[in-house]
Amino acid sequence: MTEKPIVCDTKPLAQEVEAGVYWWCSCGRSAGQPFCDGSHKGTGLQPVKHEVPVKQTVWWCQCKSTNNPPLCDGTHKSVQKPCAH
């Protein structure tokens, strides 16, 4: 059975990142938000691979409810209860 993700924040995280591969935490349990630290193990949830072709600002979803993971799509406007991270 897959657990529901934990809401980490009700707004996205804007972060300038270098070109490369990033693993976005989809479970909300990682201590290193917005990136996976393996805390999803046993939840049935998996991190999402995101490739950034050039240095840019990425708007990471922190509510974990986006329909466009790992990027914010505005879903946070209807989400409540951020986690304690």
Side-chain angles (χ1 to χ4, degrees):
M1 183 175 157
T2 301
E3 294 180 26
K4 290 189 177 201
I6 295 171
V7 175
C8 289
D9 204 339
T10 54
K11 61 185 180 308
L13 173 65
Q15 186 178 55
E16 188 170 321
V17 297
E18 298 292 331
V21 175
Y22 296 86
W23 291 92
W24 175 75
C25 169
S26 69
C27 72
R29 290 161 177 78
S30 173
Q33 292 296 324
F35 306 113
C36 177
D37 69 1
S39 297
H40 63 276
K41 291 180 182 154
T43 66
L45 298 167
Q46 296 296 317
V48 174
K49 181 179 180 180
H50 184 66
E51 295 185 44
V52 176
V54 296
K55 183 177 180 177
Q56 62 184 275
T57 299
V58 174
W59 290 82
W60 303 106
C61 171
Q62 292 287 83
C63 75
K64 310 304 178 182
S65 299
T66 182
N67 291 308
N68 187 28
L71 307 176
C72 174
D73 69 355
T75 302
H76 62 273
K77 294 172 187 171
S78 62
V79 173
Q80 297 177 6
K81 293 187 176 181
C83 66
H85 286 297

Coordinates of all heavy atoms in Angstrom, one line a residue:
M1 N 0.8 -1.2 0.0 CA 0.0 0.0 0.0 C 0.9 1.2 0.0 O 1.9 1.3 0.7 CB -0.9 0.0 1.2 CG -1.8 1.1 1.3 SD -2.9 1.0 2.7 CE -3.4 2.6 2.9
T2 N 0.5 2.2 -0.8 CA 1.3 3.5 -0.9 C 0.7 4.5 0.1 O -0.4 4.7 0.2 CB 1.2 4.0 -2.3 OG1 1.7 3.1 -3.2 CG2 2.0 5.3 -2.4
E3 N 1.7 5.0 0.9 CA 1.3 6.1 1.9 C 1.1 7.4 1.1 O 1.6 7.6 0.0 CB 2.4 6.2 2.9 CG 2.5 5.0 3.8 CD 3.6 5.2 4.9 OE1 3.9 6.3 5.3 OE2 4.1 4.2 5.3
K4 N 0.4 8.3 1.8 CA 0.2 9.6 1.2 C 1.5 10.5 1.5 O 2.1 10.3 2.6 CB -1.0 10.3 1.8 CG -2.3 9.7 1.3 CD -3.5 10.5 1.7 CE -4.7 9.9 1.2 NZ -5.8 10.8 1.1
P5 N 1.9 11.4 0.6 CA 3.0 12.2 0.9 C 2.7 13.2 2.0 O 1.6 13.6 2.2 CB 3.3 12.9 -0.4 CG 2.1 12.7 -1.3 CD 1.3 11.6 -0.7
I6 N 3.8 13.7 2.7 CA 3.7 14.7 3.7 C 3.9 16.1 3.0 O 4.8 16.2 2.3 CB 4.7 14.5 4.8 CG1 4.4 13.1 5.5 CG2 4.7 15.6 5.8 CD1 5.5 12.7 6.4
V7 N 3.0 17.0 3.3 CA 3.1 18.4 2.8 C 4.2 19.0 3.6 O 4.2 19.1 4.8 CB 1.8 19.1 3.0 CG1 2.0 20.6 2.6 CG2 0.7 18.5 2.3
C8 N 5.2 19.5 2.9 CA 6.4 20.2 3.5 C 6.2 21.7 3.6 O 6.7 22.4 4.4 CB 7.7 19.9 2.8 SG 8.1 18.2 3.1
D9 N 5.5 22.3 2.6 CA 5.2 23.7 2.6 C 4.0 23.9 1.7 O 3.8 23.1 0.8 CB 6.4 24.5 2.2 CG 6.4 25.9 2.7 OD1 5.3 26.4 3.0 OD2 7.5 26.5 2.7
T10 N 3.3 25.0 1.9 CA 2.2 25.4 1.1 C 2.6 26.4 0.1 O 1.7 27.2 -0.4 CB 1.0 25.8 1.9 OG1 1.4 26.9 2.8 CG2 0.5 24.6 2.7
K11 N 3.9 26.5 -0.3 CA 4.4 27.3 -1.4 C 5.6 26.7 -2.0 O 6.2 25.9 -1.3 CB 4.7 28.7 -0.9 CG 5.8 28.8 0.2 CD 6.0 30.2 0.7 CE 7.1 30.3 1.7 NZ 7.0 29.4 2.8
P12 N 5.8 26.9 -3.2 CA 7.0 26.3 -3.9 C 8.3 26.8 -3.4 O 8.3 27.9 -2.8 CB 6.8 26.6 -5.4 CG 6.0 27.9 -5.4 CD 5.1 27.8 -4.1
L13 N 9.4 26.1 -3.7 CA 10.7 26.5 -3.4 C 11.4 26.9 -4.7 O 11.6 26.1 -5.5 CB 11.5 25.4 -2.7 CG 13.0 25.7 -2.5 CD1 13.2 26.9 -1.5 CD2 13.7 24.4 -2.0
A14 N 11.7 28.2 -4.8 CA 12.5 28.7 -6.0 C 14.0 28.5 -5.7 O 14.4 29.0 -4.7 CB 12.2 30.1 -6.3
Q15 N 14.7 27.8 -6.6 CA 16.1 27.5 -6.3 C 16.8 27.5 -7.6 O 16.5 26.9 -8.6 CB 16.2 26.1 -5.6 CG 17.6 25.7 -5.2 CD 17.6 24.4 -4.5 OE1 17.1 23.4 -5.1 NE2 18.0 24.3 -3.3
E16 N 17.9 28.3 -7.6 CA 18.8 28.3 -8.8 C 19.7 27.0 -8.7 O 20.3 26.8 -7.7 CB 19.7 29.5 -8.8 CG 20.4 29.7 -10.1 CD 21.1 31.0 -10.3 OE1 20.5 32.0 -10.0 OE2 22.2 31.0 -10.8
V17 N 19.6 26.2 -9.8 CA 20.4 25.0 -9.8 C 21.3 24.9 -11.0 O 21.0 25.5 -12.1 CB 19.5 23.7 -9.7 CG1 18.7 23.7 -8.4 CG2 18.5 23.7 -10.9
E18 N 22.4 24.2 -10.9 CA 23.3 24.0 -12.0 C 22.7 22.9 -12.9 O 21.8 22.1 -12.5 CB 24.6 23.5 -11.5 CG 25.3 24.5 -10.6 CD 25.8 25.7 -11.3 OE1 26.1 25.6 -12.6 OE2 25.9 26.8 -10.7
A19 N 23.2 22.8 -14.1 CA 22.8 21.7 -15.0 C 23.1 20.4 -14.4 O 24.1 20.3 -13.7 CB 23.5 21.9 -16.4
G20 N 22.2 19.4 -14.5 CA 22.5 18.1 -13.9 C 21.2 17.3 -13.7 O 20.1 17.8 -14.1
V21 N 21.3 16.2 -12.9 CA 20.2 15.4 -12.6 C 19.9 15.6 -11.1 O 20.8 15.5 -10.3 CB 20.5 13.9 -12.9 CG1 19.4 13.0 -12.4 CG2 20.8 13.7 -14.4
Y22 N 18.6 15.8 -10.8 CA 18.2 15.9 -9.4 C 17.1 14.9 -9.1 O 16.3 14.6 -10.0 CB 17.6 17.4 -9.2 CG 18.7 18.4 -9.4 CD1 19.0 18.9 -10.7 CD2 19.4 18.9 -8.3 CE1 20.0 19.8 -10.8 CE2 20.5 19.8 -8.5 CZ 20.7 20.3 -9.7 OH 21.7 21.2 -9.9
W23 N 17.1 14.4 -7.9 CA 16.0 13.5 -7.5 C 15.2 14.2 -6.4 O 15.6 14.4 -5.3 CB 16.7 12.2 -6.9 CG 17.4 11.4 -8.0 CD1 18.7 11.5 -8.3 CD2 16.7 10.5 -8.8 NE1 18.9 10.7 -9.4 CE2 17.7 10.0 -9.7 CE3 15.4 10.0 -8.9 CZ2 17.5 9.0 -10.7 CZ3 15.2 9.0 -9.9 CH2 16.2 8.5 -10.7
W24 N 14.0 14.5 -6.9 CA 13.0 15.3 -6.1 C 12.3 14.3 -5.1 O 11.8 13.2 -5.5 CB 12.0 15.9 -7.0 CG 10.8 16.6 -6.3 CD1 10.9 17.8 -5.7 CD2 9.5 16.2 -6.3 NE1 9.6 18.2 -5.2 CE2 8.7 17.2 -5.6 CE3 8.8 15.1 -6.8 CZ2 7.4 17.1 -5.4 CZ3 7.4 15.0 -6.6 CH2 6.7 16.0 -5.9
C25 N 12.2 14.7 -3.9 CA 11.5 13.9 -2.8 C 10.0 14.0 -3.1 O 9.4 15.1 -3.0 CB 11.8 14.5 -1.4 SG 10.8 13.8 -0.1
S26 N 9.3 12.9 -3.3 CA 7.9 12.9 -3.6 C 7.1 12.5 -2.3 O 5.9 12.7 -2.3 CB 7.5 11.9 -4.7 OG 7.8 10.6 -4.3
C27 N 7.8 12.0 -1.3 CA 7.1 11.6 -0.1 C 7.0 12.6 1.0 O 6.2 12.5 1.9 CB 7.9 10.3 0.5 SG 9.4 10.7 1.3
G28 N 7.9 13.7 1.0 CA 7.8 14.7 2.0 C 8.6 14.4 3.3 O 8.6 15.2 4.2
R29 N 9.2 13.2 3.3 CA 9.9 12.8 4.5 C 11.4 13.1 4.6 O 12.0 13.0 5.6 CB 9.7 11.3 4.7 CG 8.3 10.9 5.0 CD 8.0 9.5 4.7 NE 6.6 9.1 5.1 CZ 5.5 9.4 4.4 NH1 5.6 10.0 3.3 NH2 4.4 9.0 4.9
S30 N 12.0 13.5 3.5 CA 13.4 13.8 3.4 C 13.8 15.0 4.3 O 13.1 16.0 4.2 CB 13.8 14.1 1.9 OG 15.1 14.5 1.9
A31 N 14.9 14.9 5.0 CA 15.4 16.0 5.8 C 16.0 17.1 4.9 O 16.2 18.2 5.3 CB 16.3 15.5 6.8
G32 N 16.3 16.7 3.7 CA 17.0 17.7 2.7 C 16.1 18.1 1.6 O 16.5 18.1 0.5
Q33 N 14.9 18.6 2.0 CA 13.9 19.0 1.0 C 14.6 20.1 0.1 O 15.3 20.9 0.5 CB 12.7 19.6 1.6 CG 11.8 18.6 2.3 CD 11.2 17.6 1.4 OE1 10.9 17.9 0.3 NE2 11.1 16.3 1.9
P34 N 14.3 20.0 -1.2 CA 13.3 19.2 -1.9 C 13.8 17.9 -2.5 O 13.2 17.3 -3.3 CB 12.8 20.2 -3.1 CG 14.1 20.8 -3.5 CD 14.8 21.1 -2.1
F35 N 15.0 17.5 -2.0 CA 15.7 16.4 -2.6 C 15.6 15.1 -1.8 O 15.5 15.2 -0.6 CB 17.2 16.7 -2.9 CG 17.3 18.0 -3.7 CD1 17.9 19.1 -3.2 CD2 16.8 18.0 -5.0 CE1 18.0 20.2 -3.9 CE2 16.9 19.2 -5.8 CZ 17.5 20.3 -5.2
C36 N 15.6 14.0 -2.4 CA 15.5 12.7 -1.8 C 16.7 12.4 -1.0 O 17.8 12.6 -1.4 CB 15.3 11.6 -2.9 SG 15.2 9.9 -2.2
D37 N 16.5 11.8 0.2 CA 17.5 11.3 1.1 C 17.3 9.8 1.4 O 17.9 9.3 2.3 CB 17.7 12.1 2.3 CG 16.6 12.0 3.3 OD1 15.6 11.3 3.1 OD2 16.7 12.7 4.3
G38 N 16.3 9.2 0.7 CA 16.1 7.8 1.0 C 15.0 7.5 2.0 O 14.6 6.4 2.3
S39 N 14.4 8.6 2.6 CA 13.4 8.4 3.6 C 12.1 7.8 3.2 O 11.3 7.4 4.0 CB 13.1 9.8 4.3 OG 14.2 10.3 4.9
H40 N 11.9 7.7 1.8 CA 10.7 7.1 1.3 C 10.6 5.6 1.4 O 9.6 5.0 1.2 CB 10.6 7.5 -0.2 CG 11.7 6.9 -1.0 ND1 12.9 7.5 -1.1 CD2 11.8 5.7 -1.7 CE1 13.7 6.7 -1.9 NE2 13.1 5.6 -2.2
K41 N 11.7 5.0 1.8 CA 11.7 3.5 1.8 C 10.6 3.0 2.7 O 10.4 3.4 3.8 CB 13.1 3.0 2.3 CG 14.2 3.3 1.3 CD 15.5 2.9 1.7 CE 16.5 3.2 0.6 NZ 17.8 3.4 1.0
G42 N 9.9 2.1 2.2 CA 8.7 1.5 2.9 C 7.4 2.2 2.7 O 6.4 1.7 3.2
T43 N 7.4 3.3 2.0 CA 6.2 4.1 1.9 C 5.4 3.8 0.6 O 4.3 4.1 0.5 CB 6.5 5.6 1.8 OG1 7.2 5.9 0.6 CG2 7.2 6.1 3.0
G44 N 6.1 3.1 -0.4 CA 5.5 2.9 -1.7 C 5.7 4.0 -2.6 O 5.3 4.0 -3.8
L45 N 6.3 5.1 -2.1 CA 6.5 6.3 -2.9 C 8.0 6.3 -3.4 O 8.8 5.7 -2.8 CB 6.3 7.6 -2.1 CG 4.8 7.8 -1.6 CD1 4.8 8.9 -0.6 CD2 3.9 8.1 -2.8
Q46 N 8.2 6.9 -4.6 CA 9.6 6.9 -5.2 C 9.9 8.4 -5.5 O 9.1 9.2 -5.8 CB 9.6 6.1 -6.4 CG 9.3 4.6 -6.2 CD 10.4 4.0 -5.4 OE1 11.6 4.2 -5.6 NE2 10.0 3.1 -4.4
P47 N 11.3 8.7 -5.5 CA 11.7 10.0 -5.9 C 11.5 10.2 -7.4 O 11.4 9.2 -8.1 CB 13.2 10.0 -5.5 CG 13.6 8.6 -5.5 CD 12.4 7.8 -5.1
V48 N 11.4 11.4 -7.8 CA 11.2 11.7 -9.2 C 12.5 12.3 -9.8 O 13.1 13.3 -9.3 CB 10.1 12.7 -9.4 CG1 9.9 13.2 -10.9 CG2 8.8 12.1 -8.9
K49 N 13.0 11.7 -10.9 CA 14.2 12.2 -11.6 C 13.9 13.4 -12.4 O 12.9 13.5 -13.1 CB 14.7 11.1 -12.5 CG 16.0 11.5 -13.2 CD 16.5 10.3 -14.1 CE 17.7 10.6 -14.8 NZ 18.2 9.5 -15.7
H50 N 14.7 14.5 -12.2 CA 14.5 15.7 -13.0 C 15.8 16.2 -13.6 O 16.8 16.4 -12.8 CB 13.9 16.8 -12.1 CG 13.6 18.1 -12.8 ND1 12.6 18.1 -13.8 CD2 14.1 19.3 -12.7 CE1 12.5 19.4 -14.2 NE2 13.5 20.1 -13.6
E51 N 15.9 16.3 -14.9 CA 17.1 16.7 -15.6 C 17.0 18.1 -15.9 O 16.0 18.6 -16.5 CB 17.3 15.8 -16.8 CG 17.6 14.4 -16.5 CD 17.9 13.5 -17.7 OE1 18.7 14.0 -18.5 OE2 17.3 12.4 -17.8
V52 N 18.0 18.9 -15.5 CA 18.1 20.3 -15.8 C 19.2 20.5 -16.8 O 20.4 20.2 -16.6 CB 18.4 21.1 -14.5 CG1 18.6 22.6 -14.8 CG2 17.4 20.9 -13.4
P53 N 18.8 21.0 -18.0 CA 19.8 21.1 -19.1 C 20.8 22.2 -19.0 O 22.0 22.1 -19.4 CB 19.0 21.3 -20.4 CG 17.7 21.9 -19.9 CD 17.5 21.3 -18.5
V54 N 20.4 23.3 -18.4 CA 21.3 24.5 -18.2 C 21.0 25.1 -16.8 O 19.9 24.9 -16.3 CB 21.1 25.5 -19.3 CG1 21.5 25.0 -20.6 CG2 19.7 26.0 -19.3
K55 N 21.9 25.8 -16.3 CA 21.7 26.5 -15.0 C 20.5 27.4 -15.1 O 20.3 28.1 -16.1 CB 22.9 27.4 -14.7 CG 22.8 28.1 -13.4 CD 24.1 28.9 -13.1 CE 24.0 29.6 -11.8 NZ 25.3 30.3 -11.5
Q56 N 19.6 27.2 -14.1 CA 18.3 27.9 -14.2 C 17.6 27.9 -12.8 O 18.0 27.2 -11.9 CB 17.3 27.3 -15.2 CG 17.0 25.8 -14.9 CD 16.1 25.2 -16.0 OE1 14.9 25.3 -15.9 NE2 16.8 24.5 -16.9
T57 N 16.6 28.7 -12.7 CA 15.8 28.7 -11.4 C 14.6 27.6 -11.6 O 13.9 27.7 -12.6 CB 15.1 30.1 -11.2 OG1 16.2 31.0 -11.0 CG2 14.3 30.0 -9.9
V58 N 14.5 26.7 -10.7 CA 13.5 25.7 -10.7 C 12.5 26.0 -9.5 O 13.0 26.3 -8.4 CB 14.1 24.3 -10.5 CG1 13.1 23.2 -10.4 CG2 15.1 24.0 -11.7
W59 N 11.3 25.9 -9.8 CA 10.2 26.1 -8.8 C 9.8 24.7 -8.4 O 8.9 24.1 -9.0 CB 9.1 26.9 -9.4 CG 9.4 28.3 -9.6 CD1 10.1 28.8 -10.6 CD2 9.2 29.4 -8.6 NE1 10.3 30.2 -10.4 CE2 9.8 30.5 -9.2 CE3 8.6 29.5 -7.4 CZ2 9.8 31.8 -8.6 CZ3 8.6 30.7 -6.8 CH2 9.2 31.8 -7.4
W60 N 10.4 24.1 -7.3 CA 10.1 22.8 -6.8 C 8.8 22.8 -6.0 O 8.6 23.7 -5.2 CB 11.2 22.3 -5.9 CG 12.6 22.3 -6.4 CD1 13.6 23.2 -6.1 CD2 13.2 21.4 -7.3 NE1 14.7 22.9 -6.8 CE2 14.5 21.7 -7.6 CE3 12.7 20.3 -8.0 CZ2 15.3 21.0 -8.4 CZ3 13.5 19.6 -8.8 CH2 14.8 19.9 -9.0
C61 N 8.0 21.8 -6.3 CA 6.8 21.6 -5.5 C 7.1 21.2 -4.1 O 7.9 20.2 -3.9 CB 5.9 20.5 -6.2 SG 4.5 20.0 -5.2
Q62 N 6.5 21.8 -3.1 CA 6.8 21.4 -1.7 C 5.5 20.9 -1.1 O 5.6 20.3 0.0 CB 7.2 22.7 -0.9 CG 8.6 23.1 -1.3 CD 9.7 22.2 -0.8 OE1 10.0 21.2 -1.4 NE2 10.3 22.5 0.3
C63 N 4.4 21.0 -1.8 CA 3.1 20.5 -1.2 C 3.0 19.0 -1.5 O 2.1 18.3 -1.0 CB 1.9 21.3 -1.7 SG 1.4 21.0 -3.4
K64 N 3.8 18.5 -2.5 CA 3.8 17.1 -2.9 C 2.5 16.7 -3.6 O 2.2 15.5 -3.7 CB 4.2 16.2 -1.7 CG 5.4 16.6 -1.0 CD 6.6 16.7 -1.8 CE 7.8 17.2 -1.0 NZ 9.0 17.4 -1.8
S65 N 1.7 17.6 -4.1 CA 0.4 17.3 -4.7 C 0.4 17.8 -6.2 O -0.7 17.7 -6.8 CB -0.7 18.0 -3.9 OG -0.7 17.5 -2.6
T66 N 1.5 18.3 -6.7 CA 1.5 18.8 -8.1 C 1.1 17.7 -9.1 O 1.3 16.5 -8.9 CB 2.9 19.3 -8.4 OG1 2.8 19.9 -9.8 CG2 4.0 18.3 -8.4
N67 N 0.5 18.1 -10.1 CA 0.2 17.2 -11.2 C 1.3 17.2 -12.3 O 1.2 16.5 -13.3 CB -1.1 17.6 -11.9 CG -2.3 17.4 -11.0 OD1 -2.5 16.3 -10.5 ND2 -3.1 18.5 -10.8
N68 N 2.4 18.0 -12.0 CA 3.5 18.1 -12.9 C 4.8 17.9 -12.1 O 5.7 18.7 -12.1 CB 3.5 19.4 -13.5 CG 4.6 19.6 -14.6 OD1 5.0 18.6 -15.2 ND2 5.1 20.8 -14.8
P69 N 5.0 16.7 -11.3 CA 6.1 16.5 -10.5 C 7.4 16.6 -11.3 O 7.5 16.0 -12.4 CB 5.9 15.2 -9.9 CG 4.8 14.5 -10.6 CD 4.1 15.6 -11.4
P70 N 8.4 17.2 -10.8 CA 8.6 17.8 -9.5 C 8.3 19.3 -9.4 O 8.6 20.0 -8.4 CB 10.1 17.6 -9.2 CG 10.7 17.8 -10.5 CD 9.7 17.2 -11.5
L71 N 7.7 19.8 -10.5 CA 7.5 21.3 -10.6 C 6.2 21.7 -10.0 O 5.2 21.0 -10.2 CB 7.7 21.7 -12.0 CG 9.0 21.2 -12.7 CD1 9.0 21.6 -14.2 CD2 10.2 21.8 -12.0
C72 N 6.2 22.9 -9.5 CA 5.0 23.5 -8.9 C 4.0 23.8 -10.1 O 4.4 24.3 -11.1 CB 5.3 24.8 -8.2 SG 3.9 25.7 -7.7
D73 N 2.7 23.5 -9.8 CA 1.7 23.8 -10.8 C 0.5 24.6 -10.2 O -0.5 24.8 -10.7 CB 1.1 22.5 -11.4 CG 0.3 21.7 -10.5 OD1 0.2 22.0 -9.3 OD2 -0.2 20.6 -10.9
G74 N 0.8 25.1 -9.0 CA -0.2 25.9 -8.3 C -1.1 25.2 -7.4 O -2.0 25.8 -6.7
T75 N -1.0 23.8 -7.3 CA -1.9 23.0 -6.5 C -1.8 23.4 -5.0 O -2.8 23.3 -4.2 CB -1.5 21.5 -6.6 OG1 -1.7 21.2 -8.0 CG2 -2.4 20.6 -5.8
H76 N -0.6 24.0 -4.6 CA -0.4 24.3 -3.2 C -1.5 25.3 -2.7 O -1.7 25.4 -1.5 CB 1.0 24.9 -3.0 CG 1.2 26.2 -3.7 ND1 1.7 26.2 -5.1 CD2 1.0 27.5 -3.4 CE1 1.8 27.4 -5.5 NE2 1.4 28.2 -4.5
K77 N -2.1 26.0 -3.6 CA -3.1 27.0 -3.1 C -4.3 26.4 -2.5 O -5.1 27.1 -1.7 CB -3.6 27.8 -4.4 CG -2.5 28.7 -4.9 CD -2.9 29.3 -6.2 CE -1.7 30.0 -6.9 NZ -2.0 30.5 -8.2
S78 N -4.5 25.1 -2.6 CA -5.6 24.4 -2.0 C -5.2 23.3 -1.0 O -6.0 22.5 -0.6 CB -6.5 23.7 -3.1 OG -5.7 22.7 -3.8
V79 N -3.9 23.4 -0.6 CA -3.3 22.4 0.3 C -3.0 23.0 1.7 O -2.6 24.2 1.7 CB -2.0 21.8 -0.3 CG1 -1.3 20.9 0.7 CG2 -2.3 21.0 -1.6
Q80 N -3.2 22.3 2.7 CA -2.9 22.8 4.1 C -2.0 21.8 4.8 O -1.7 20.8 4.3 CB -4.2 23.0 4.9 CG -5.1 24.0 4.3 CD -6.4 24.1 5.0 OE1 -6.6 23.5 6.0 NE2 -7.3 24.9 4.5
K81 N -1.6 22.2 6.0 CA -0.8 21.4 6.9 C 0.6 21.1 6.5 O 0.9 19.9 6.1 CB -1.5 20.1 7.2 CG -2.8 20.2 8.0 CD -3.3 18.8 8.4 CE -4.5 19.0 9.2 NZ -5.0 17.7 9.7
P82 N 1.5 22.0 6.5 CA 2.9 21.7 6.2 C 3.5 20.8 7.3 O 3.1 20.8 8.5 CB 3.6 23.0 6.2 CG 2.7 24.0 6.9 CD 1.3 23.4 6.8
C83 N 4.5 20.0 7.0 CA 5.2 19.1 8.0 C 6.2 19.9 8.8 O 6.4 21.1 8.6 CB 5.9 18.0 7.2 SG 7.3 18.5 6.2
A84 N 6.8 19.3 9.7 CA 7.7 20.0 10.7 C 9.2 20.1 10.2 O 10.0 20.5 10.9 CB 7.7 19.2 12.0
H85 N 9.5 19.9 8.9 CA 10.9 20.0 8.4 C 11.4 21.4 8.5 O 10.8 22.4 8.2 CB 11.0 19.6 6.9 CG 10.9 18.1 6.7 ND1 11.8 17.2 7.2 CD2 9.9 17.4 6.1 CE1 11.4 16.0 6.9 NE2 10.3 16.0 6.2

